[in-house]
Amino acid sequence: MRFAHHVFVCENRRDPADPKGCCAAKGSEVIRTALKAEVARRGLKGQVRVNAAGCLDACADGPTIVVYPEGVWYARVRLEDVPELVESHLVNGVPVERLRSPRFR
C-alpha cells in the first residue's frame, strides 16, 4: 500500500548530559500520539502513516518531524502545532512554513 504521506517523528533518546538533547525528552512521543489521533479523527488512515523514527540527526532542533514524499523537515514542533500541521500539510498539501527546519530547506 502506498501512502500519500509518511510522517516520521524522531523519538531518539540520548544521555541527559548530551548537549544536543534529544527529541524524546522534548515531547516527541506525545506529539506522535497526537498526530496519529488527528489523522484517525480526520479519516486519513490508509492515506497517511505516522511512525516513530530513530535519530534523524537533528535533535538540537527537536522535536523533529519529516514528511515524505516531499521531504519536508519540521523543527521545534509543539503539541499545539499538530492540528495545523495535519490540516495544512497532510490535508491541503501546504507545508507549515513557520515550523520548517532552517537546516533542511
Side-chain angles (χ1 to χ4, degrees), residues 2-10 31-32 35 39 44 47-53 56 63-75 77 81-82 84-97 99-101 104:
R2 179 158 168 76
F3 298 100
H5 299 285
H6 206 143
V7 181
F8 292 94
V9 181
C10 179
I31 291 168
R32 181 181 55 84
L35 277 165
V39 163
L44 299 173
Q47 298 171 47
V48 176
R49 175 82 177 164
V50 179
N51 282 98
L56 295 173
T64 300
I65 295 173
V66 62
V67 179
Y68 289 106
E70 301 94 329
V72 172
W73 288 71
Y74 292 111
V77 178
D81 297 323
V82 168
E84 179 184 7
L85 197 149
V86 172
E87 175 69 23
S88 184
H89 192 151
L90 304 181
V91 172
N92 295 317
V94 179
V96 180
E97 289 300 319
L99 297 175
R100 301 246 347 232
S101 173
F104 298 101

Side-chain angles (χ1 to χ4, degrees), residues 24-38:
K26 296 173 185 174
S28 63
E29 293 169 350
V30 173
I31 291 168
R32 181 181 55 84
T33 299
L35 277 165
K36 288 180 77 140
E38 188 70 10

Side-chain angles (χ1 to χ4, degrees), residues 9-31 53 59-64 77:
V9 181
C10 179
E11 291 188 14
N12 187 53
R13 291 188 180 278
R14 286 197 172 105
D15 183 296
D18 191 305
K20 290 182 182 179
C22 68
C23 289
K26 296 173 185 174
S28 63
E29 293 169 350
V30 173
I31 291 168
C59 285
D61 299 322
T64 300
V77 178

